[in-house]
């Protein structure tokens, strides 16, 4: 009976989000597991394509996983040790600082995601998003209101999506404002209140 099924939401902790903060250099932030299906290798190759045209741009890849050694090797291979940072798994203030100071959040995943908390946190921090339509992501992200979708997870396609965002300040500002607003619906107190309302409705109808 579909009438008895209630779809819940993933939630994020507002306490882990800081207001956007100006930085001396622009940066792309990836924050997820280093797995092939997460698009981390393609993102690094995309950055290598962009780096010569955007000398003020860095790439931050926060996380861990089986592709970590290969990522480190490719950073060195491309001569990008001064512009690509792999701080490992981050949480707390370190994660909040990366979210606050980054320019764009990129998650070029082909994994059948549910609703990635990292995307919610990036939205709450007011970041423009570059991602895919994998799994439940289209329920969270709309184009162009919240971000851009990749139809092809290749270095060239990712580089083009990033280039579009980096060159369009007005588009990014609109996404930033919309994302900070839309993310409030997924803040833990609001989601908990919805769960409590659902339980009360169930008890009332028992």
């Amino acid at each position: 009976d579909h009438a008895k099924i209630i779809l819940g939401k993933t939630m994020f902790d507002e306490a882990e989000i800081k207001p956007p903060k100006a930085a001396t250099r622009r940066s792309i932030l990836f924050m997820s597991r280093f797995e092939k299906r997460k698009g981390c290798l393609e993102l690094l190759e995309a950055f290598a394509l962009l780096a010569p045209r955007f000398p003020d741009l860095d790439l931050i890849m926060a996380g861990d996983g089986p592709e970590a050694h290969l990522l480190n090797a490719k950073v060195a291979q491309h001569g990008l040790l001064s512009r690509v940072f792999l701080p490992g798994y981050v949480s707390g203030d370190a994660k909040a600082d990366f979210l606050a100071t980054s320019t764009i959040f990129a998650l070029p995943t082909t994994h059948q995601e549910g609703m990635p908390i990292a995307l919610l946190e990036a939205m709450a921090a007011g970041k423009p998003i570059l991602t895919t339509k994998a799994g439940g992501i289209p329920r969270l992200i709309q184009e162009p209101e919240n971000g851009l979708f990749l139809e092809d997870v290749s270095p060239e396609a990712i580089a083009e999506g990033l280039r579009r965002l980096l060159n369009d300040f007005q588009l990014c500002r609109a996404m930033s404002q919309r994302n900070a607003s839309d993310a409030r619906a997924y803040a833990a107190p609001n989601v908990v209140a919805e769960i409590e309302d659902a339980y009360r409705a169930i008890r009332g109808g028992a």
Side-chain angles (χ1 to χ4, degrees), residues 161-182:
L162 291 171
R163 187 181 296 112
R164 180 180 170 189
L165 291 173
L166 290 164
N167 286 333
D168 196 333
F169 174 78
Q170 296 298 331
L171 176 63
C172 285
R173 184 170 66 174
M175 288 178 179
S176 176
Q177 293 172 348
R178 179 68 178 264
N179 284 347
S181 175
D182 286 355

PDB file of all heavy atoms in Angstrom, residues 161-182:
ATOM      1  N   GLY A 161      32.551  21.634 -18.016  1.00  0.00           N
ATOM      2  CA  GLY A 161      31.605  22.052 -16.988  1.00  0.00           C
ATOM      3  C   GLY A 161      32.237  22.992 -15.984  1.00  0.00           C
ATOM      4  O   GLY A 161      31.651  24.012 -15.602  1.00  0.00           O
ATOM      5  N   LEU A 162      33.436  22.677 -15.558  1.00  0.00           N
ATOM      6  CA  LEU A 162      34.149  23.551 -14.620  1.00  0.00           C
ATOM      7  C   LEU A 162      34.474  24.894 -15.265  1.00  0.00           C
ATOM      8  O   LEU A 162      34.340  25.952 -14.626  1.00  0.00           O
ATOM      9  CB  LEU A 162      35.435  22.869 -14.150  1.00  0.00           C
ATOM     10  CG  LEU A 162      35.254  21.639 -13.250  1.00  0.00           C
ATOM     11  CD1 LEU A 162      36.580  20.929 -13.044  1.00  0.00           C
ATOM     12  CD2 LEU A 162      34.636  22.037 -11.907  1.00  0.00           C
ATOM     13  N   ARG A 163      34.888  24.853 -16.522  1.00  0.00           N
ATOM     14  CA  ARG A 163      35.215  26.092 -17.234  1.00  0.00           C
ATOM     15  C   ARG A 163      33.994  27.006 -17.308  1.00  0.00           C
ATOM     16  O   ARG A 163      34.105  28.218 -17.106  1.00  0.00           O
ATOM     17  CB  ARG A 163      35.725  25.761 -18.634  1.00  0.00           C
ATOM     18  CG  ARG A 163      36.253  26.988 -19.407  1.00  0.00           C
ATOM     19  CD  ARG A 163      36.714  26.597 -20.792  1.00  0.00           C
ATOM     20  NE  ARG A 163      37.835  25.682 -20.750  1.00  0.00           N
ATOM     21  CZ  ARG A 163      37.805  24.415 -21.116  1.00  0.00           C
ATOM     22  NH1 ARG A 163      36.668  23.889 -21.561  1.00  0.00           N
ATOM     23  NH2 ARG A 163      38.877  23.661 -21.049  1.00  0.00           N
ATOM     24  N   ARG A 164      32.843  26.423 -17.570  1.00  0.00           N
ATOM     25  CA  ARG A 164      31.623  27.224 -17.649  1.00  0.00           C
ATOM     26  C   ARG A 164      31.332  27.907 -16.324  1.00  0.00           C
ATOM     27  O   ARG A 164      30.991  29.102 -16.291  1.00  0.00           O
ATOM     28  CB  ARG A 164      30.447  26.337 -18.056  1.00  0.00           C
ATOM     29  CG  ARG A 164      29.132  27.098 -18.159  1.00  0.00           C
ATOM     30  CD  ARG A 164      27.992  26.193 -18.573  1.00  0.00           C
ATOM     31  NE  ARG A 164      26.712  26.882 -18.426  1.00  0.00           N
ATOM     32  CZ  ARG A 164      25.538  26.288 -18.548  1.00  0.00           C
ATOM     33  NH1 ARG A 164      25.473  24.990 -18.825  1.00  0.00           N
ATOM     34  NH2 ARG A 164      24.429  26.983 -18.386  1.00  0.00           N
ATOM     35  N   LEU A 165      31.479  27.184 -15.238  1.00  0.00           N
ATOM     36  CA  LEU A 165      31.217  27.778 -13.923  1.00  0.00           C
ATOM     37  C   LEU A 165      32.271  28.827 -13.571  1.00  0.00           C
ATOM     38  O   LEU A 165      31.934  29.908 -13.060  1.00  0.00           O
ATOM     39  CB  LEU A 165      31.185  26.683 -12.858  1.00  0.00           C
ATOM     40  CG  LEU A 165      30.007  25.714 -12.922  1.00  0.00           C
ATOM     41  CD1 LEU A 165      30.196  24.571 -11.925  1.00  0.00           C
ATOM     42  CD2 LEU A 165      28.678  26.434 -12.647  1.00  0.00           C
ATOM     43  N   LEU A 166      33.514  28.530 -13.830  1.00  0.00           N
ATOM     44  CA  LEU A 166      34.591  29.465 -13.485  1.00  0.00           C
ATOM     45  C   LEU A 166      34.487  30.774 -14.262  1.00  0.00           C
ATOM     46  O   LEU A 166      34.909  31.830 -13.762  1.00  0.00           O
ATOM     47  CB  LEU A 166      35.947  28.810 -13.760  1.00  0.00           C
ATOM     48  CG  LEU A 166      36.330  27.660 -12.815  1.00  0.00           C
ATOM     49  CD1 LEU A 166      37.479  26.860 -13.409  1.00  0.00           C
ATOM     50  CD2 LEU A 166      36.697  28.185 -11.434  1.00  0.00           C
ATOM     51  N   ASN A 167      33.930  30.708 -15.446  1.00  0.00           N
ATOM     52  CA  ASN A 167      33.834  31.903 -16.292  1.00  0.00           C
ATOM     53  C   ASN A 167      32.509  32.652 -16.150  1.00  0.00           C
ATOM     54  O   ASN A 167      32.322  33.681 -16.812  1.00  0.00           O
ATOM     55  CB  ASN A 167      34.039  31.526 -17.767  1.00  0.00           C
ATOM     56  CG  ASN A 167      35.488  31.219 -18.086  1.00  0.00           C
ATOM     57  OD1 ASN A 167      36.400  31.723 -17.440  1.00  0.00           O
ATOM     58  ND2 ASN A 167      35.700  30.381 -19.082  1.00  0.00           N
ATOM     59  N   ASP A 168      31.598  32.163 -15.332  1.00  0.00           N
ATOM     60  CA  ASP A 168      30.269  32.786 -15.219  1.00  0.00           C
ATOM     61  C   ASP A 168      29.979  33.138 -13.763  1.00  0.00           C
ATOM     62  O   ASP A 168      29.341  32.371 -13.035  1.00  0.00           O
ATOM     63  CB  ASP A 168      29.197  31.845 -15.777  1.00  0.00           C
ATOM     64  CG  ASP A 168      27.879  32.564 -16.048  1.00  0.00           C
ATOM     65  OD1 ASP A 168      27.598  33.579 -15.376  1.00  0.00           O
ATOM     66  OD2 ASP A 168      27.115  32.092 -16.916  1.00  0.00           O
ATOM     67  N   PHE A 169      30.442  34.295 -13.352  1.00  0.00           N
ATOM     68  CA  PHE A 169      30.278  34.725 -11.966  1.00  0.00           C
ATOM     69  C   PHE A 169      28.809  34.861 -11.591  1.00  0.00           C
ATOM     70  O   PHE A 169      28.388  34.475 -10.491  1.00  0.00           O
ATOM     71  CB  PHE A 169      31.001  36.057 -11.742  1.00  0.00           C
ATOM     72  CG  PHE A 169      30.762  36.643 -10.381  1.00  0.00           C
ATOM     73  CD1 PHE A 169      31.423  36.155  -9.266  1.00  0.00           C
ATOM     74  CD2 PHE A 169      29.854  37.698 -10.205  1.00  0.00           C
ATOM     75  CE1 PHE A 169      31.190  36.691  -8.004  1.00  0.00           C
ATOM     76  CE2 PHE A 169      29.622  38.237  -8.958  1.00  0.00           C
ATOM     77  CZ  PHE A 169      30.294  37.732  -7.855  1.00  0.00           C
ATOM     78  N   GLN A 170      28.007  35.412 -12.468  1.00  0.00           N
ATOM     79  CA  GLN A 170      26.593  35.621 -12.166  1.00  0.00           C
ATOM     80  C   GLN A 170      25.870  34.295 -11.964  1.00  0.00           C
ATOM     81  O   GLN A 170      25.042  34.155 -11.045  1.00  0.00           O
ATOM     82  CB  GLN A 170      25.916  36.425 -13.289  1.00  0.00           C
ATOM     83  CG  GLN A 170      26.444  37.842 -13.453  1.00  0.00           C
ATOM     84  CD  GLN A 170      26.234  38.703 -12.213  1.00  0.00           C
ATOM     85  OE1 GLN A 170      25.294  38.495 -11.450  1.00  0.00           O
ATOM     86  NE2 GLN A 170      27.118  39.665 -12.012  1.00  0.00           N
ATOM     87  N   LEU A 171      26.151  33.318 -12.807  1.00  0.00           N
ATOM     88  CA  LEU A 171      25.533  32.005 -12.659  1.00  0.00           C
ATOM     89  C   LEU A 171      25.921  31.379 -11.327  1.00  0.00           C
ATOM     90  O   LEU A 171      25.065  30.846 -10.603  1.00  0.00           O
ATOM     91  CB  LEU A 171      25.959  31.092 -13.809  1.00  0.00           C
ATOM     92  CG  LEU A 171      25.460  29.646 -13.755  1.00  0.00           C
ATOM     93  CD1 LEU A 171      23.940  29.591 -13.830  1.00  0.00           C
ATOM     94  CD2 LEU A 171      26.083  28.817 -14.876  1.00  0.00           C
ATOM     95  N   CYS A 172      27.195  31.454 -10.978  1.00  0.00           N
ATOM     96  CA  CYS A 172      27.661  30.865  -9.720  1.00  0.00           C
ATOM     97  C   CYS A 172      27.060  31.569  -8.512  1.00  0.00           C
ATOM     98  O   CYS A 172      26.706  30.922  -7.517  1.00  0.00           O
ATOM     99  CB  CYS A 172      29.192  30.907  -9.656  1.00  0.00           C
ATOM    100  SG  CYS A 172      29.983  29.676 -10.709  1.00  0.00           S
ATOM    101  N   ARG A 173      26.927  32.874  -8.581  1.00  0.00           N
ATOM    102  CA  ARG A 173      26.333  33.604  -7.462  1.00  0.00           C
ATOM    103  C   ARG A 173      24.879  33.204  -7.267  1.00  0.00           C
ATOM    104  O   ARG A 173      24.421  33.003  -6.137  1.00  0.00           O
ATOM    105  CB  ARG A 173      26.440  35.113  -7.684  1.00  0.00           C
ATOM    106  CG  ARG A 173      25.922  35.917  -6.482  1.00  0.00           C
ATOM    107  CD  ARG A 173      26.256  37.379  -6.601  1.00  0.00           C
ATOM    108  NE  ARG A 173      25.554  38.019  -7.713  1.00  0.00           N
ATOM    109  CZ  ARG A 173      25.593  39.331  -7.958  1.00  0.00           C
ATOM    110  NH1 ARG A 173      26.332  40.122  -7.175  1.00  0.00           N
ATOM    111  NH2 ARG A 173      24.945  39.851  -8.973  1.00  0.00           N
ATOM    112  N   ALA A 174      24.144  33.044  -8.374  1.00  0.00           N
ATOM    113  CA  ALA A 174      22.744  32.629  -8.281  1.00  0.00           C
ATOM    114  C   ALA A 174      22.646  31.220  -7.698  1.00  0.00           C
ATOM    115  O   ALA A 174      21.783  30.943  -6.844  1.00  0.00           O
ATOM    116  CB  ALA A 174      22.084  32.692  -9.648  1.00  0.00           C
ATOM    117  N   MET A 175      23.521  30.311  -8.150  1.00  0.00           N
ATOM    118  CA  MET A 175      23.530  28.956  -7.601  1.00  0.00           C
ATOM    119  C   MET A 175      23.858  28.973  -6.117  1.00  0.00           C
ATOM    120  O   MET A 175      23.248  28.251  -5.317  1.00  0.00           O
ATOM    121  CB  MET A 175      24.564  28.101  -8.336  1.00  0.00           C
ATOM    122  CG  MET A 175      24.199  27.715  -9.746  1.00  0.00           C
ATOM    123  SD  MET A 175      25.549  26.750 -10.488  1.00  0.00           S
ATOM    124  CE  MET A 175      24.864  26.396 -12.105  1.00  0.00           C
ATOM    125  N   SER A 176      24.825  29.776  -5.740  1.00  0.00           N
ATOM    126  CA  SER A 176      25.243  29.858  -4.345  1.00  0.00           C
ATOM    127  C   SER A 176      24.087  30.275  -3.444  1.00  0.00           C
ATOM    128  O   SER A 176      23.828  29.660  -2.397  1.00  0.00           O
ATOM    129  CB  SER A 176      26.406  30.839  -4.213  1.00  0.00           C
ATOM    130  OG  SER A 176      26.776  31.003  -2.865  1.00  0.00           O
ATOM    131  N   GLN A 177      23.381  31.318  -3.840  1.00  0.00           N
ATOM    132  CA  GLN A 177      22.261  31.807  -3.034  1.00  0.00           C
ATOM    133  C   GLN A 177      21.146  30.774  -2.972  1.00  0.00           C
ATOM    134  O   GLN A 177      20.557  30.541  -1.901  1.00  0.00           O
ATOM    135  CB  GLN A 177      21.760  33.126  -3.612  1.00  0.00           C
ATOM    136  CG  GLN A 177      22.769  34.268  -3.483  1.00  0.00           C
ATOM    137  CD  GLN A 177      22.346  35.517  -4.240  1.00  0.00           C
ATOM    138  OE1 GLN A 177      21.421  35.490  -5.053  1.00  0.00           O
ATOM    139  NE2 GLN A 177      23.028  36.620  -3.972  1.00  0.00           N
ATOM    140  N   ARG A 178      20.833  30.150  -4.102  1.00  0.00           N
ATOM    141  CA  ARG A 178      19.759  29.157  -4.149  1.00  0.00           C
ATOM    142  C   ARG A 178      20.116  27.932  -3.307  1.00  0.00           C
ATOM    143  O   ARG A 178      19.280  27.395  -2.572  1.00  0.00           O
ATOM    144  CB  ARG A 178      19.492  28.759  -5.597  1.00  0.00           C
ATOM    145  CG  ARG A 178      18.413  27.704  -5.783  1.00  0.00           C
ATOM    146  CD  ARG A 178      17.034  28.242  -5.420  1.00  0.00           C
ATOM    147  NE  ARG A 178      16.012  27.237  -5.655  1.00  0.00           N
ATOM    148  CZ  ARG A 178      15.277  27.161  -6.771  1.00  0.00           C
ATOM    149  NH1 ARG A 178      15.468  28.037  -7.758  1.00  0.00           N
ATOM    150  NH2 ARG A 178      14.358  26.240  -6.901  1.00  0.00           N
ATOM    151  N   ASN A 179      21.363  27.484  -3.400  1.00  0.00           N
ATOM    152  CA  ASN A 179      21.767  26.294  -2.665  1.00  0.00           C
ATOM    153  C   ASN A 179      21.720  26.496  -1.165  1.00  0.00           C
ATOM    154  O   ASN A 179      21.261  25.622  -0.420  1.00  0.00           O
ATOM    155  CB  ASN A 179      23.169  25.861  -3.101  1.00  0.00           C
ATOM    156  CG  ASN A 179      23.161  25.189  -4.447  1.00  0.00           C
ATOM    157  OD1 ASN A 179      22.110  24.823  -4.963  1.00  0.00           O
ATOM    158  ND2 ASN A 179      24.332  25.019  -5.038  1.00  0.00           N
ATOM    159  N   ALA A 180      22.201  27.647  -0.705  1.00  0.00           N
ATOM    160  CA  ALA A 180      22.169  27.925   0.729  1.00  0.00           C
ATOM    161  C   ALA A 180      20.738  27.924   1.245  1.00  0.00           C
ATOM    162  O   ALA A 180      20.461  27.470   2.365  1.00  0.00           O
ATOM    163  CB  ALA A 180      22.849  29.258   1.015  1.00  0.00           C
ATOM    164  N   SER A 181      19.813  28.401   0.423  1.00  0.00           N
ATOM    165  CA  SER A 181      18.402  28.425   0.808  1.00  0.00           C
ATOM    166  C   SER A 181      17.776  27.031   0.748  1.00  0.00           C
ATOM    167  O   SER A 181      17.120  26.591   1.695  1.00  0.00           O
ATOM    168  CB  SER A 181      17.641  29.383  -0.109  1.00  0.00           C
ATOM    169  OG  SER A 181      16.252  29.346   0.158  1.00  0.00           O
ATOM    170  N   ASP A 182      18.003  26.305  -0.358  1.00  0.00           N
ATOM    171  CA  ASP A 182      17.390  24.989  -0.537  1.00  0.00           C
ATOM    172  C   ASP A 182      17.876  23.975   0.496  1.00  0.00           C
ATOM    173  O   ASP A 182      17.128  23.071   0.896  1.00  0.00           O
ATOM    174  CB  ASP A 182      17.686  24.457  -1.936  1.00  0.00           C
ATOM    175  CG  ASP A 182      16.880  25.159  -3.022  1.00  0.00           C
ATOM    176  OD1 ASP A 182      16.028  26.000  -2.671  1.00  0.00           O
ATOM    177  OD2 ASP A 182      17.107  24.875  -4.213  1.00  0.00           O
TER     178      ASP A 182
END
